[in-house]
């Protein structure tokens, strides 16, 4: 019988990112990133408090990943969780970065002894999750991500997947409600590991 499959996001699930992005914006661009603000692009302002135009935000994020990935540190418990889960399930890291960052992401994760298949993606994650299921034919699949939009996308394309909403940055988590299309919200890897292993026993998620 095929093994279960865990599909996990990286930033703010396995590695902290937004706090380091905020530090870099302050140091290199004299901009303030309000971690407590709703919405990513809306959280970035100049020193006068004026919002940075959206068309300038995404290039800044690319520049961060071009040169600052070394700043990112591991989310507590993530390595231990993947080690334990990997004893029972296959693991794929599905990260929303362009393919040009794939090698850097693999190297970055390997530095923390996380050595699993890494897939890059742009846009909703439902289609790549569907493609992974069709390729690997797992007995049951679970998906972990910090963004509600991806839980909705997976729910639409692969409703049999268990969906766990996790936000590892506490200052973001405090104002982020549970994703409506996620089955559960857990921000701690110790508890999340138990939840995921139980779902592997339960079999595919019921269609709603």
């Amino acid at each position: 019988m095929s093994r279960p499959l865990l599909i996990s996001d990286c930033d703010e699930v396995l590695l902290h990112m937004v706090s380091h992005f905020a530090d870099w914006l302050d140091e290199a661009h004299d901009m303030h990133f309000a971690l407590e603000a709703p919405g990513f692009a809306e959280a970035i302002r100049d020193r006068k408090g004026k919002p940075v135009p959206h068309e300038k935000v995404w290039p800044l994020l690319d520049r961060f990943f071009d040169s600052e990935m070394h700043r990112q540190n591991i989310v507590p418990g993530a390595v231990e969780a993947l080690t334990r889960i990997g004893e029972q399930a296959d693991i794929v890291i599905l990260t929303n970065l362009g393919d040009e960052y794939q090698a850097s992401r693999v190297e970055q994760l390997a530095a923390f002894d996380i050595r699993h298949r890494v897939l890059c993606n742009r846009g909703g994650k439902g289609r790549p999750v569907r493609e992974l299921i069709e390729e690997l034919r797992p007995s049951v699949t679970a998906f972990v991500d910090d963004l509600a939009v991806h839980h909705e996308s997976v729910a639409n394309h692969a409703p049999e997947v268990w969906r766990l909403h996790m936000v590892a940055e506490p200052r973001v988590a405090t104002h982020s409600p549970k994703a409506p299309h996620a089955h559960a919200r857990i921000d701690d890897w110790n508890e999340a590991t138990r939840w995921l292993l139980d779902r592997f026993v339960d079999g595919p998620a019921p269609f709603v």
Side-chain angles (χ1 to χ4, degrees):
M1 180 179 293
S2 59
R3 282 156 58 91
L5 172 64
L6 171 65
I7 303 172
S8 176
D9 184 30
C10 183
D11 296 314
E12 298 314 327
V13 172
L14 301 176
L15 299 179
H16 286 298
M17 189 279 287
V18 291
S19 61
H20 303 297
F21 181 59
D23 290 342
W24 175 72
L25 284 177
D26 179 64
E27 297 164 9
H29 298 280
D30 204 28
M31 294 178 183
H32 174 66
F33 186 102
L35 294 174
E36 69 282 356
F40 188 87
E42 294 77 8
I44 303 176
R45 297 177 180 268
D46 63 23
R47 287 301 177 194
K48 296 181 181 179
K50 184 178 178 180
V52 174
H54 284 204
E55 63 268 20
K56 293 185 178 181
V57 169
W58 307 119
L60 283 169
L61 194 59
D62 285 341
R63 289 173 66 183
F64 175 85
F65 286 114
D66 283 338
S67 64
E68 306 299 320
M69 290 174 74
H70 64 276
R71 291 175 178 253
Q72 294 184 255
N73 61 315
I74 195 73
V75 169
V79 172
E80 296 82 358
L82 293 189
T83 298
R84 185 176 174 192
I85 293 168
E87 295 172 354
Q88 300 185 26
D90 295 324
I91 298 173
V92 176
I93 312 301
L94 180 59
T95 182
N96 255 31
L97 291 176
D99 289 336
E100 65 271 23
Y101 297 106
Q102 200 266 349
S104 297
R105 179 116 284 178
V106 169
E107 181 180 0
Q108 179 190 39
L109 289 167
F112 296 103
D113 204 26
I114 296 176
R115 305 176 190 277
H116 298 287
R117 180 179 176 184
V118 174
L119 291 181
C120 292
N121 176 68
R122 293 290 195 185
K125 293 186 177 180
R127 290 189 185 278
V129 166
R130 180 80 267 158
E131 291 169 0
L132 279 169
I133 292 171
E134 292 175 356
E135 173 192 347
L136 299 175
R137 299 294 179 182
S139 56
V140 57
T141 304
F143 172 78
V144 184
D145 203 284
D146 66 314
L147 297 181
V149 63
H150 294 312
H151 288 282
E152 181 176 5
S153 179
V154 172
N156 289 334
H157 287 88
E160 75 275 24
V161 171
W162 291 104
R163 299 176 296 278
L164 176 61
H165 186 199
M166 175 183 289
V167 183
E169 171 52 56
R171 288 171 291 178
V172 176
T174 54
H175 64 78
S176 299
K178 173 182 171 294
H181 292 83
H183 293 99
R185 166 69 178 272
I186 305 172
D187 297 331
D188 171 76
W189 265 112
N190 288 329
E191 184 181 351
T193 300
R194 293 190 293 270
W195 189 89
L196 290 165
L197 292 176
D198 286 345
R199 301 294 78 74
F200 291 155
V201 173
D202 290 342
F207 286 35
V208 178

